[in-house]
Amino acid sequence: MTHGPPPPGQVPFHGAPGFHAYPPAGEPPKSYTAFNILGIFGCFGMTSVIGIIGLVFALQVSSKWHIGDYAGAESAANTAKILGIIGLCCFVASALAVVLYVALVFTGVILAVAG
């Protein structure tokens, strides 16, 4: 299937084999790397795994964009966003739990209940 010549003034982009398209205007999609890194430290166990998987998808965004796989970059960014939000929520919940525990220990509530 041929699409004809490119529009006047636009040079065709030839990325990796199989990805022949014109690059979209603008920057690569946001990768949400920071959210996924915080998700790794949020809760140990299942959410650490979610954070690591999200980080893998976040790191794939720019490489897919640069080889011309724009749909793959968008898909990886959306997956990284979802996993990053889950990881970030777990990180915030863990941080609040630690702050609450330290506050209760500091005020002596936990020691009074235990003793």
Side-chain angles (χ1 to χ4, degrees), residues 101 104-105 107-115:
Y101 178 77
L104 291 175
V105 167
T107 59
V109 172
I110 290 182
L111 295 176
V113 171

Side-chain angles (χ1 to χ4, degrees), residues 25-72:
E27 298 293 318
K30 189 175 177 182
S31 64
Y32 300 93
T33 305
F35 286 7
N36 287 294
I37 290 173
L38 289 175
I40 292 171
F41 298 112
C43 301
F44 296 102
M46 188 61 180
T47 56
S48 293
V49 173
I50 290 172
I52 291 169
I53 294 170
L55 184 61
V56 168
F57 279 100
L59 296 175
Q60 290 176 354
V61 172
S62 65
S63 62
K64 286 184 178 192
W65 184 268
H66 290 298
I67 65 168
D69 184 9
Y70 304 117

